[in-house]
Amino acid sequence: MGRRHRDALFPPAAIQRLTRLVDIDPQLLAEDFDRAPDLAPVEILITSWGCPPLDDRVLTRMPALKAVVHAAGSVKHHVTDACWDRGLLVSSAAAANAVPVAEYTVAAILFANKRVLELGALYREHRAALDWSAHFPDFGNYGRTVGLVGASLVGRRVLELLRPHDFDVLLADPHVDPATARSMGARLVGLDELLTASDVVSLHAPALPETHHMLDARRLALLRDGATLINTGRGSLIDGQALTAEASSGRIYAVLDVTDPEVLPAASPLYSLPNVLLTPHIAGSLGGELQRITRSALGEIERYCAGLDFAHPVTRAALATSA
């Protein structure tokens, strides 16, 4: 992992807990396996953002390696087929990282239906009380329709957090059946129906070849006038040019924490559109939220040392349809 991630994820208290569990040199940090010292005795590899791929060449240097504990979300950037062929155990803190992403998403949904951005701008402009209901006759969250695309870890957490609210929740996911969707508080529909029926659409699908630009010009046109599109998943889920055209028309709203490319070019109209909120990929764990990831990773190491299965295992089959 990168040094800044090590320092943020493993403060002294976490290091003390770690050293009680395993034989580790707290000063050893491998940012580049080619320049790392002798890795032959390594049994557990603790990884995070910035870990290089664990390919055959790298794994040859770690003949004793049995487990990879990832103190971050997706392992797709570094866990290769060679890891699975070797039979390595893999764990991820994706469930821990899903919590702040879901919280961000729910906040964005609630703010979207309350038209917070527009109302704030009008209030700054007029500096007086206006008839807000006349300006926004569809104002509020009661009885609104929210569509979630993808029952990922984040998507499922969003579904949990939406339960106390008076929403009609739709879900589009080819890997979920209607009964499972109902158990999560949603009604399973096709993607086109979800886009047509929802006041707010939130994307939680993985970046796969079949999901690339899943929201193209045709599907973006299905969004009802005034709908809000939220993306905390992957920028590649949306055709950026088509989204820019739709947003520039003023017909829809967008809350985008991820884009493609990331960062957007400085000349992108999305920066200045009043109906678009851009944030710099902050929905995931930052600051104090990183300690949730640390606790998850340390808990997995404790389980491994006790001879227990990981609480948050990653498998080759599951990785094929996840982020």
Side-chain angles (χ1 to χ4, degrees):
M1 66 186 74
R3 184 170 299 277
R4 67 185 182 92
H5 295 127
R6 192 277 305 273
D7 294 343
L9 286 163
F10 294 97
I15 292 294
Q16 289 177 7
R17 180 179 170 188
L18 187 59
T19 55
R20 289 196 296 268
L21 295 169
V22 295
D23 180 13
I24 186 172
D25 177 1
Q27 303 306 313
L28 175 59
L29 175 68
E31 296 182 90
D32 181 344
F33 289 120
D34 289 334
R35 290 181 289 182
D38 180 22
L39 298 174
V42 172
E43 181 177 352
I44 304 173
L45 193 65
I46 304 173
T47 63
S48 188
W49 294 286
C51 180
L54 294 167
D55 54 24
D56 280 314
R57 182 179 60 83
V58 171
L59 292 180
T60 299
R61 297 189 58 200
M62 292 181 275
L65 184 65
K66 295 181 180 178
V68 178
V69 175
H70 191 49
S74 176
V75 301
K76 282 190 172 181
H77 302 292
H78 65 294
V79 173
T80 67
D81 285 338
C83 297
W84 305 120
D85 294 342
R86 173 95 157 255
L88 298 182
L89 301 174
V90 179
S91 169
S92 167
N97 194 49
V99 174
V101 182
E103 292 171 346
Y104 174 109
T105 299
V106 172
I109 291 170
L110 296 174
F111 267 38
N113 286 327
K114 292 286 279 189
R115 297 303 186 200
V116 168
L117 291 178
E118 299 157 275
L119 283 166
L122 281 172
Y123 200 24
R124 284 195 302 271
E125 179 182 348
H126 294 279
R127 300 176 186 272
L130 300 177
D131 186 349
W132 304 118
S133 294
H135 279 78
F136 304 98
D138 61 348
F139 178 90
N141 283 288
Y142 180 76
R144 306 306 289 274
T145 300
V146 177
L148 302 187
V149 181
S152 61
L153 287 170
V154 175
R156 290 171 187 251
R157 184 73 177 189
V158 172
L159 287 167
E160 292 177 15
L161 295 177
L162 289 180
R163 282 184 179 274
H165 301 279
D166 295 307
F167 289 129
D168 178 22
V169 182
L170 307 179
L171 173 66
D173 190 316
H175 305 287
V176 172
D177 59 57
T180 301
R182 285 193 299 272
S183 73
M184 295 188 291
R187 179 162 55 91
L188 189 68
V189 297
L191 179 55
D192 285 5
E193 181 181 347
L194 181 147
L195 295 171
T196 303
S198 298
D199 298 296
V200 180
V201 173
S202 188
L203 304 183
H204 305 289
L208 303 170
E210 55 267 35
T211 63
H212 182 76
H213 288 185
M214 64 189 304
L215 264 61
D216 54 13
R218 182 190 71 80
R219 282 189 164 139
L220 288 171
L222 295 177
L223 290 166
R224 58 176 58 176
D225 290 353
T228 299
L229 176 62
I230 301 170
N231 191 8
T232 58
R234 293 291 186 267
S236 62
L237 300 176
I238 306 176
D239 181 332
Q241 289 187 338
L243 175 60
T244 300
E246 283 286 359
S248 296
S249 74
R251 194 182 69 80
I252 65 170
Y253 300 83
V255 178
L256 307 172
D257 189 53
V258 290
T259 56
D260 186 21
E262 194 172 275
V263 176
L264 287 173
S268 172
L270 295 178
Y271 284 113
S272 56
L273 290 175
N275 51 322
V276 175
L277 173 62
L278 284 175
T279 55
H281 206 146
I282 59 168
S285 300
L286 291 172
E289 295 166 335
L290 292 170
Q291 297 313 302
R292 184 185 286 112
I293 286 179
T294 303
R295 287 198 299 272
S296 176
L298 291 175
E300 294 292 68
I301 294 171
E302 284 182 338
R303 294 181 68 87
Y304 177 88
C305 293
L308 301 174
D309 293 336
F310 284 142
H312 305 287
V314 180
T315 65
R316 179 187 288 194
L319 198 59
T321 58
S322 63

